Every structure is written in C-alpha cells, then in structure tokens.
Amino acid sequence: LKSNPSNNEEKEAQTQLTKSDELQRLHSQALSAYQQEDYEAAISLLDEILAVCVWDAELRELRAECYIKEGEPSKAISDLKAAAKLKNDNTEAFYKISRIYYQLGDHELSLSEVRECLKLDQDHKQCFSLYKQVKKLNKQIDSAEEFIREGRYEDAINKYDSVMKTEPEVPIYATRAKERICHCLSKNQQATEAIKVCTEVLQLEPTNVNALKDRAEAYLLEDLYEE
C-alpha cells in the first residue's frame, strides 16, 4: 500500500487484514475447545479456518485428531491423507492412517500405508513395529483364504485360530475369523460346530449375510428345515 496507494487496494488490504484477525481468533478458540475435549466445537471452528487456509497441514492433523475422538475414522483418514501430501516426510500421518485402517479391520490398506511411512524413514520405531504386526496378520489371512480356495477347510480353521491369537486386542479380526471358520465348518459338513460358531458371529452381527447363509447350510445338513 505504501509503495502504490489506491482506494481499491486499501479496501482489499483492510478486508484481508480483518479476515486474518478473525482466523487467528477462530484458531485460538479451536485450540481451546480441543484442550477442553469439546471436539465437536473444535471441528466446527476448524472447518471455518480450513475453508480459507486449505493448505495448512497442522490444522488438518488437528481436525483428524478431533474426528478420531468423535468416532469418525473415515473423515480422519481424509484429513491425514491431505496432511501427508502437504508436509514433506510426514511419517506421523502415514502411521496414523495405517493404525486407523488396522483398527477398522482393513489390514491390506494398513500394510500399504505403513510401508509408505517406512519408505520415508526405515528406522521409524512405531511404523516398524506396526509393520511387523500387520504383515504377520496379512500373511495368515492370505494363507487361510488360499486353503479355503483349495478346499482344505481344517487347515483354514487352524490358520484363522492363529489370526485370533495374533490380534486379540482388535475385536473385528476375531469376528471376521469366526465368520470364515463358520464357513469352513459348514463346507466341511461339521454341522453342529458350524451352527455354534455361526451363532456366535450372528450374536455380534445379526445381519451378517455370510454367517446366515452358512448356518442355513449347516441346518440343512441336520434336517432342521424350519431353522
């Protein structure tokens, strides 16, 4: 403005300056809301700031943390993926994305993201530890599915038992393993066992179509036509 004063530019400069002050105020409020664990309010404030500051990686990471706390992992992944692109060597973002996918039961995407972290830093302790866990689980599930394709149902059941031992902390893996064991038992004509395991799955997920179909097959083997 000092080098080239004009009314239009002065008006524009004042508008931008006012907007800048407003965004700084919103930023302070967002941080305060986050610290007070009012994540919904923090998200609302961060939405306003990010509508203007689209390329701010730190703000996206903060909003991702709020989404995680609010139980909206898919929205957190979206922000973290943007942050991973916006900030060089953002191993932390790749680690968090991998962990979220893992918690959601998507072991393949989890493995893909943790590999991206290790490409940036092969000595990253958290990523390497997660990588070992996901790789082991991934290998067991792939192996079990191969046994099912070959009709080796006993081997597949044993392998899915191993899956449950490898990951006892994240419930979705036990549920998925039991769903596949129920399938194997039904295919192997072990009707009584199949009904028992399929029922366990359906108590957790009443609308699980695969478990319903496999239990129906097991009921047929037992001549329980009404069931």
Side-chain angles (χ1 to χ4, degrees):
L1 268 178
K2 283 175 185 170
S3 67
N4 187 13
S6 80
N7 286 343
N8 282 348
E9 285 178 0
E10 187 171 354
K11 199 172 181 183
E12 174 66 12
Q14 289 299 337
T15 303
Q16 295 291 350
L17 197 58
T18 305
K19 191 185 281 186
S20 171
D21 289 342
E22 172 67 5
L23 288 172
Q24 284 180 324
R25 187 179 64 77
L26 290 173
H27 188 207
S28 296
Q29 287 180 344
L31 288 174
S32 175
Y34 177 77
Q35 283 154 6
Q36 288 167 24
E37 300 181 10
D38 187 351
Y39 303 114
E40 195 177 337
I43 290 166
S44 178
L45 292 159
L46 289 164
D47 286 347
E48 282 190 67
I49 306 167
L50 281 160
V52 181
C53 306
V54 184
W55 315 115
D56 194 313
E58 275 83 8
L59 290 177
R60 287 192 177 275
E61 285 171 346
L62 182 61
R63 188 168 67 177
E65 282 299 313
C66 294
Y67 281 136
I68 291 166
K69 300 284 189 187
E70 284 289 289
E72 296 191 79
S74 56
K75 289 183 179 178
I77 286 171
S78 176
D79 267 343
L80 287 166
K81 283 192 170 180
K85 287 178 184 171
L86 291 167
K87 196 157 77 178
N88 286 340
D89 299 341
N90 196 346
T91 53
E92 196 59 30
F94 284 117
Y95 172 71
K96 284 179 181 174
I97 295 167
S98 179
R99 278 226 52 97
I100 294 170
Y101 276 134
Y102 187 73
Q103 296 290 328
L104 291 173
D106 199 329
H107 51 95
E108 288 172 337
L109 279 175
S110 176
L111 189 60
S112 169
E113 294 295 334
V114 81
R115 278 181 175 144
E116 291 299 318
C117 173
L118 290 171
K119 277 184 199 171
L120 296 171
D121 179 6
Q122 61 187 24
D123 298 322
H124 195 289
K125 284 183 182 175
Q126 286 177 307
C127 284
F128 187 66
S129 173
L130 181 60
Y131 171 72
K132 284 196 297 182
Q133 174 72 3
V134 186
K135 192 182 178 189
K136 183 180 179 182
L137 194 74
N138 211 51
K139 195 174 177 184
Q140 288 175 332
I141 292 170
D142 285 349
S143 178
E145 289 301 311
E146 186 62 32
F147 287 144
I148 291 172
R149 283 190 289 275
E150 292 170 1
R152 294 166 60 187
Y153 298 117
E154 280 299 329
D155 289 333
I157 289 166
N158 291 334
K159 193 58 78 172
Y160 269 119
D161 279 333
S162 299
V163 166
M164 290 191 280
K165 288 181 184 127
T166 297
E167 184 42 83
E169 303 295 322
V170 184
I172 193 161
Y173 293 107
T175 306
R176 289 291 155 266
K178 284 182 180 178
E179 180 191 312
R180 298 306 277 158
I181 289 169
C182 137
H183 175 73
C184 293
L185 290 166
S186 181
K187 286 286 184 190
N188 218 27
Q189 303 202 331
Q190 293 169 260
T192 308
E193 275 297 298
I195 291 164
K196 177 177 171 285
V197 177
C198 294
T199 301
E200 284 177 23
V201 176
L202 288 162
Q203 282 168 348
L204 297 166
E205 295 180 346
T207 56
N208 187 313
V209 175
N210 294 326
L212 285 166
K213 286 196 295 184
D214 288 323
R215 190 170 68 174
E217 292 291 337
Y219 281 141
L220 285 174
L221 291 169
E222 293 284 275
D223 299 331
L224 297 165
Y225 301 120
E226 283 297 321
E227 284 84 341

